[in-house]
Amino acid sequence: MTPLLKVTGLTRMYGNRVGCRDVSFELWPGEVMGIVGESGSGKTTLLSCLSARLEPTAGTVEYDTRAEGLQDIYAMGEPRRRLLMRTDWGIVHQNPRDGLRMGVSAGANVGERLMAVGARHYGEIRAQADEWLRKVEIDGDRIDDLPLTFSGGMLQRLQIARNLVTHPRLVFMDEPTGGLDVSVQARLLDLLRRLVTDLGLAAIVVTHDLAVARLLAHRLMVMRRGEVVETGLTDQVLDDPHHPYTQLLVSSVLQP
Amino acid sequence: MTGATGYNFAYLDEQTKRMIRRAILKAVAIPGYQVPFGSREMPLPYGWGTGGIQVTAAVIGPDDRLKVIDQGADDTTNAVSIRRFFARTAGVATTERTTEATVIQTRHRIPETPLVEGQILVYQVPIPEPLRWLEPRETETRKMHALADYGAMHVKLYEDIARFGRIATTYDYPVLVNGRYLMRPSPIPKFDNPKMHMNPALQLFGAGREKRIYAVPPYTAVKSLDFEDHPFEVQRWDQACAICGSADSFLDEVVTDDRGGRMYVCSDTDHCTSQQTRKEAAE
Amino acid sequence: MYVAVKGGETAIDNAHRLMAEERRGDPAVPELGLDQIMEQLGLAVDRVMTEGSIHDRELAALAIKQAQGDLVEAIFLLRAYRTTLPRFGGSEPIDTAAMAIRRRISAAFKDLPGGQVLGPTYDYTHRLLDFALAAGAEPEAAVRAGHPLAERMPRVADVLGQEGLIERNPPGNDEPPGDLTRQPLSLPAGRDLRLQNLARGDEGFLLALAYSSQRGYGNTHPFAGEIRLGAVAVEFVPEELGFPIEIGEITVTECQMVNQFKGSKEVPAQFTRGYGLSFGQSERKAMAMALVDRSLRAGELGEEAANPSQDEEFVLAHSDNVEASGFVQHLKLPHYVDFQSELELIRRLRAATPDRETAE
């Protein structure tokens, strides 16, 4: 079996400062990988490099394309990379405003990716938008409303629907529950977990919140100062941390 | 040298005209692609047809016969001003008859009379970039064209239907040229869009202020964007032209009094006149 | 029967004749001569030359007269005339260090080699309407200094440069500078095109942008390092000679803004530059230009660029008043056809939705 994503020696420098250094791993279809660490540990830099938004200084990111198998995403050229980003991939930003068009309706936000890949039947686009809004628990009668009128939790769910409508195989999430109330967070996490399982999605989730990591991720990578200090199955890493930094991270979480 | 003394034929010097012709050739070779060109400052204001005038100046010769229309009419102020400019600086013959013209410069209309091979239709373009309202940055729109990344354009049409039940763009309606480049047809009514498709004439577009030239060569496919279940359609009127009786031309509404009285007349004055003549001859 | 509006040609001719009459005004009042404009409305002439991109006082005066004193219109006239002029080539860079100084001030140093030379300025006048001027009073003679000005007055930026306190201008390459009047602007623009764009740009627009940068929309921490006004020689290298010859002298205003810069990872803290240059005496323009030039370098210097004055695409695309004036005023042209299309759509949409007021 081929991994969905194969990362080798990935390094990103900002001048002399390290963004992330020498990261290698493989992600398998349907697997959810969590990247945890404090702010400034290089999680977001790594995620940007993985999701084709920030060219690495060294190393490769290969993706298992449907047509040609494993391909280096930075060698494939922008047209194919853009196509990948709007078909096979999804990107869920921490701030939903970065991932949505705030000036057009919820339906158009969900339908955009369909139109970008050639859907030209208004009725079908609308039907799919409607279906996806319901899947993320947004009332169908909000389909023509502008996102400006949505709450924070609804915006995040709308962003998720917008990403999933083209049935991607891999979704990148940057602090998907950041900035939300605790009760709203719980509902969103529940929804995310259900969608990921139902759709067999692979995902890479960046979070500083170990509770989020425990709920969503099968495997964890712990980052510190741009480097991966520990990897393993989520429960193992969190219940029996080996690296002192991971131990510190885990112990600093208030136990329920 | 004819016309105004002290100025070259058709105002621009020959070097400049050659530069513009090179841009036009490139535009013809890549239908719908916006070619940047070194637009000059003309003695007419930007936004009043400087792009069209430069294109016309570059393609017109002493034997040409020029027609200039604005809103379909030959005698609106700006059409008069541009026609005079060329009569003065190039000394070319002018005409109001579509069939007699070899070069037609237009603002906002395509003549009702079908064009034929050998004719050139020069459009004045205020804003050439069809993606401008979605994306104000030139650097990004250039990339979107290069990658034919046009999905966002349909988002606007989707919004129209969701809000109004129909596509609510009535003029400057975006088209896809030769299956590749998204293009603004300039602010012609969408009524005129079908005339662009497989037209035997050469269609040239000049945007002076924005410094772009683009073209639709003869017999090129021009498709107005739409949805399968909301196909592109043009305006229709319940009335016929009050002067010539035309039932299939674009009509201007004329307010005749302040009690709601109004009538409809052809916007294309040459078409209206020739229909009248035909009607009178038949009677 | 209704007859469509005709007679556009005659109407236009008559409108132009009426305009010419208005321009002349009361024939009992003596007609304005170009020499009067050149001599007595000199600052207007300077602005029209700068933004009209031709250094010719007489043509600028004619444009001002023909435009009835509407300077944007006069700039337009000069630009359109410029299109028809043959191009022989580019001059050598002017050497403002060798300028025959008429005015030179620095707000960064109290005194400096060559001293502060106030020269002609309104800066310290009380802005009181002078009714004596209305009555035609002759001005008092200005007292000349007892000693001549220093031969060389080093530019403040060069003084700072000796200590390495201000960034060096990047070394010139052999590429001839771009020319916006020949090639369309492509973005991102180099500094040559940016400076040309700003030099031709509307004084009011640049003034407002510069002002916004001072009010918190992208602060550049500026000091007026130096403003100098005076005559410089223009040299040109004819191909057949191969060496520069002086072809004339022009008066220019140069402004070097000195801006604080805290440095970055790559570059130690130092002052940075913003540059402004205009024909004649146009200090407001040169200073505004220098502030905007520096603002536009935000990206290059690694500063956050989130404000209008730092946005190259926004500033360069909207600075030209000939473009702006034409496009704003083109709304006066008929739009019957587009309006008709919209009218028809609005009616149709209203017909399709039941009357809300009666329904509710």
Side-chain angles (χ1 to χ4, degrees):
Chain A
M1 198 166 125
T2 325
L4 192 61
L5 197 71
K6 183 170 185 229
V7 181
T8 316
L10 195 70
T11 300
R12 166 72 205 195
M13 307 292 292
Y14 297 100
N16 293 326
R17 201 167 60 76
V18 176
C20 62
R21 177 157 34 210
D22 199 23
V23 178
S24 302
F25 68 94
E26 287 174 353
L27 183 78
W28 300 88
E31 188 183 27
V32 179
M33 162 89 84
I35 304 178
V36 298
E38 296 170 318
S39 72
S41 60
K43 311 185 293 284
T44 298
T45 296
L46 177 61
L47 192 76
S48 299
C49 287
L50 295 178
S51 55
R53 289 173 300 159
L54 182 67
E55 191 146 5
T57 317
T60 55
V61 179
E62 291 167 280
Y63 176 74
D64 181 24
T65 59
R66 290 180 203 236
E68 292 165 278
L70 277 180
Q71 295 286 315
D72 182 349
I73 58 165
Y74 287 99
M76 66 170 52
E78 187 152 8
R80 289 182 59 202
R81 201 156 55 227
R82 279 203 179 196
L83 185 68
L84 202 61
M85 289 174 83
R86 67 189 180 211
T87 53
D88 247 18
W89 290 7
I91 296 176
V92 176
H93 300 266
Q94 174 173 8
N95 182 349
R97 285 178 172 75
D98 295 340
L100 291 170
R101 278 186 199 276
M102 298 304 284
V104 302
S105 68
N109 264 291
V110 179
E112 177 170 354
R113 274 167 70 112
L114 295 172
M115 292 182 252
V117 294
R120 292 292 179 265
H121 191 285
Y122 173 81
E124 284 168 15
I125 294 166
R126 194 171 171 80
Q128 287 205 47
D130 184 55
E131 185 189 328
W132 272 99
L133 288 179
R134 277 188 287 110
K135 278 189 190 167
V136 297
E137 299 164 11
I138 294 175
D139 223 11
D141 64 9
R142 304 297 302 266
I143 190 166
D144 292 333
D145 291 351
L146 294 181
L148 290 169
T149 63
F150 285 16
S151 69
M154 278 171 81
L155 284 176
Q156 198 53 292
R157 282 179 275 134
L158 179 61
Q159 192 192 190
I160 290 162
R162 175 179 160 91
N163 272 287
L164 297 188
V165 67
T166 51
H167 299 283
R169 293 195 292 163
L170 174 58
V171 179
F172 299 95
M173 302 187 206
D174 189 2
E175 306 275 9
T177 57
L180 297 177
D181 293 344
V182 178
S183 62
V184 181
Q185 272 190 24
R187 183 176 169 199
L188 186 70
L189 277 174
D190 192 44
L191 175 75
L192 272 176
R193 191 159 65 157
R194 195 152 38 78
L195 286 173
V196 166
T197 318
D198 289 355
L199 302 167
L201 281 176
I204 294 182
V205 184
V206 156
T207 180
H208 69 284
D209 186 339
L210 297 183
V212 170
R214 192 190 283 277
L215 258 166
L216 286 181
H218 305 130
R219 255 201 310 157
L220 280 190
M221 269 188 351
V222 183
M223 292 193 72
R224 185 192 185 202
R225 292 184 190 155
E227 299 189 20
V228 177
V229 295
E230 183 162 358
T231 59
L233 294 176
T234 302
D235 291 344
Q236 270 176 12
V237 172
L238 294 184
D239 296 340
D240 181 19
H242 284 203
H243 192 278
Y245 176 70
T246 316
Q247 290 165 356
L248 189 72
L249 266 189
V250 172
S251 67
S252 65
V253 176
L254 292 177
Q255 297 297 330
Chain B
M1 178 68 224
T2 17
T5 48
Y7 293 102
N8 193 30
F9 178 79
Y11 194 76
L12 295 171
D13 62 282
E14 293 306 311
Q15 283 297 339
T16 299
K17 284 195 261 182
R18 266 199 283 274
M19 175 273 294
I20 296 172
R21 282 182 211 130
R22 279 197 292 271
I24 292 173
L25 286 175
K26 186 169 179 183
V28 168
I30 318 171
Y33 172 73
Q34 301 167 49
V35 181
F37 80 110
S39 175
R40 299 294 192 257
E41 280 163 316
M42 301 300 284
L44 280 84
Y46 282 116
W48 300 52
T50 53
I53 292 168
Q54 289 181 77
V55 169
T56 298
V59 298
I60 204 164
D63 301 330
D64 273 309
R65 189 179 295 273
L66 176 70
K67 172 181 164 80
V68 183
I69 52 172
D70 186 340
Q71 315 294 303
D74 296 87
D75 61 350
T76 41
T77 51
N78 199 45
V80 169
S81 158
I82 292 170
R83 189 164 57 241
R84 277 188 182 180
F85 175 76
F86 282 110
R88 195 163 141 200
T89 60
V92 293
T94 60
T95 180
E96 298 194 357
R97 303 293 309 274
T98 301
T99 48
E100 287 172 6
T102 54
V103 178
I104 303 170
Q105 180 167 331
T106 180
R107 179 170 170 265
H108 295 195
R109 275 312 308 276
I110 298 175
E112 307 286 2
T113 312
L115 303 178
V116 296
E117 284 181 17
Q119 286 184 309
I120 300 178
L121 184 59
V122 178
Y123 296 76
Q124 302 172 196
V125 180
I127 309 250
E129 179 51 71
L131 301 164
R132 187 55 75 230
W133 310 131
L134 297 165
E135 173 52 61
R137 282 179 193 281
E138 178 72 20
T139 36
E140 181 58 22
T141 54
R142 252 183 354 219
K143 202 176 270 184
M144 291 165 83
H145 281 295
L147 302 175
D149 191 356
Y150 295 144
M153 203 68 201
H154 269 87
V155 171
K156 187 179 175 302
L157 302 184
Y158 172 98
E159 282 292 272
D160 275 1
I161 302 172
R163 287 182 63 192
F164 305 120
R166 71 185 67 221
I167 295 171
T169 304
T170 58
Y171 62 93
D172 215 342
Y173 191 104
V175 293
L176 197 67
V177 179
N178 203 27
R180 175 59 180 84
Y181 280 98
L182 192 66
M183 185 186 96
R184 279 180 98 133
S186 87
I188 58 171
K190 67 176 177 181
F191 178 88
D192 284 341
N193 273 24
K195 296 177 188 161
M196 307 179 82
H197 178 62
M198 300 307 264
N199 196 310
L202 171 61
Q203 303 174 70
L204 301 176
F205 299 77
R209 190 177 40 77
E210 300 275 344
K211 302 170 181 61
R212 296 290 184 275
I213 286 173
Y214 50 102
V216 175
Y219 302 109
T220 302
V222 176
K223 186 181 181 319
S224 303
L225 298 190
D226 62 0
F227 286 105
E228 288 156 19
D229 48 342
H230 283 267
F232 174 80
E233 53 183 23
V234 299
Q235 300 98 313
R236 297 199 188 289
W237 284 260
D238 303 331
Q239 302 84 354
C241 170
I243 297 175
C244 73
S246 236
D248 54 1
S249 66
F250 190 93
L251 299 179
D252 277 343
E253 182 173 335
V254 181
V255 178
T256 51
D257 55 43
D258 57 3
R259 297 179 306 277
R262 53 201 62 207
M263 62 190 296
Y264 290 85
V265 296
C266 288
S267 109
D268 183 336
T269 47
D270 169 58
H271 175 76
C272 198
T273 315
S274 53
Q275 290 297 310
Q276 266 175 282
T277 318
R278 196 174 303 166
K279 208 165 77 174
E280 280 160 19
E283 275 165 9
Chain C
M1 201 198 97
Y2 171 78
V3 183
V5 191
K6 289 272 176 197
E9 305 229 22
T10 328
I12 294 174
D13 284 337
N14 287 332
H16 291 166
R17 283 190 203 108
L18 189 57
M19 187 73 225
E21 243 178 51
E22 298 261 315
R23 172 167 60 214
R24 177 60 186 87
D26 182 353
V29 176
E31 190 179 348
L32 196 56
L34 299 192
D35 52 350
Q36 289 172 313
I37 296 173
M38 281 189 282
E39 292 302 318
Q40 297 174 36
L41 296 176
L43 297 184
V45 169
D46 289 345
R47 176 171 177 200
V48 170
M49 289 195 305
T50 301
E51 292 169 41
S53 289
I54 301 184
H55 193 289
D56 187 315
R57 301 190 72 79
E58 193 164 354
L59 285 179
L62 172 59
I64 292 168
K65 177 175 176 179
Q66 191 179 330
Q68 259 181 296
D70 176 343
L71 297 189
V72 174
E73 177 72 16
I75 289 160
F76 180 15
L77 286 167
L78 212 53
R79 292 266 194 96
Y81 179 74
R82 189 182 189 279
T83 293
T84 67
L85 297 175
R87 177 189 177 82
F88 296 117
S91 75
E92 292 292 288
I94 56 173
D95 180 8
T96 51
M99 174 186 278
I101 297 273
R102 285 175 57 208
R103 169 166 162 81
R104 183 261 202 140
I105 53 165
S106 170
F109 293 105
K110 186 164 187 226
D111 200 7
L112 63 167
Q116 307 262 14
V117 181
L118 297 191
T121 179
Y122 287 109
D123 283 356
Y124 321 106
T125 61
H126 296 146
R127 268 57 168 205
L128 301 172
L129 274 178
D130 181 358
F131 295 103
L133 194 61
E138 289 295 320
E140 269 179 59
V143 181
R144 307 287 155 178
H147 55 90
L149 290 175
E151 280 282 307
R152 289 287 293 187
M153 290 200 204
R155 290 175 299 205
V156 167
D158 297 340
V159 174
L160 288 170
Q162 281 163 3
E163 269 191 80
L165 296 176
I166 192 164
E167 60 174 342
R168 284 176 201 285
N169 274 327
N173 52 21
D174 290 335
E175 295 274 307
D179 184 352
L180 290 175
T181 67
R182 301 277 136 179
Q183 293 294 325
L185 182 66
S186 70
L187 295 161
R191 189 142 181 240
D192 52 346
L193 293 180
R194 185 202 298 156
L195 287 172
Q196 185 189 13
N197 178 293
L198 297 179
R200 287 158 54 90
D202 183 73
E203 179 172 319
F205 178 72
L206 296 188
L207 179 67
L209 281 174
Y211 179 47
S212 73
S213 78
Q214 290 177 287
R215 285 191 69 259
Y217 291 84
N219 198 358
T220 61
H221 309 279
F223 298 91
E226 183 179 298
I227 293 151
R228 54 170 59 198
L229 161 75
V232 291
V234 178
E235 294 183 325
F236 181 71
V237 181
E239 245 174 68
E240 54 274 33
L241 289 182
F243 56 84
I245 53 167
E246 185 174 327
I247 54 171
E249 215 179 50
I250 61 172
T251 292
V252 296
T253 306
E254 181 185 59
C255 172
Q256 298 248 20
M257 282 291 170
V258 173
N259 305 74
Q260 185 208 84
F261 179 58
K262 294 209 175 74
S264 64
K265 276 174 217 71
E266 287 81 24
V267 186
Q270 61 178 342
F271 290 109
T272 55
R273 303 164 188 260
Y275 189 77
L277 187 80
S278 55
F279 286 151
Q281 183 168 15
S282 308
E283 287 174 26
R284 188 188 302 118
K285 168 67 187 274
M287 293 178 74
M289 175 177 167
L291 286 173
V292 175
D293 172 45
R294 175 59 184 78
S295 289
L296 288 175
R297 299 182 57 213
E300 163 201 339
L301 293 165
E303 299 165 336
E304 192 192 3
N307 297 290
S309 68
Q310 299 166 321
D311 184 333
E312 181 178 85
E313 288 212 31
F314 178 78
V315 173
L316 299 192
H318 301 113
S319 62
D320 193 288
N321 58 24
V322 177
E323 290 177 3
S325 163
F327 200 53
V328 166
Q329 297 200 63
H330 107 284
L331 293 175
K332 290 186 281 193
L333 286 177
H335 286 77
Y336 317 138
V337 166
D338 298 345
F339 187 71
Q340 187 65 52
S341 301
E342 292 286 89
L343 203 56
E344 190 261 357
L345 173 75
I346 298 278
R347 285 202 182 114
R348 222 162 258 256
L349 291 176
R350 289 178 67 92
T353 33
D355 194 335
R356 285 195 183 135
E357 279 142 54
T358 46
E360 278 163 16

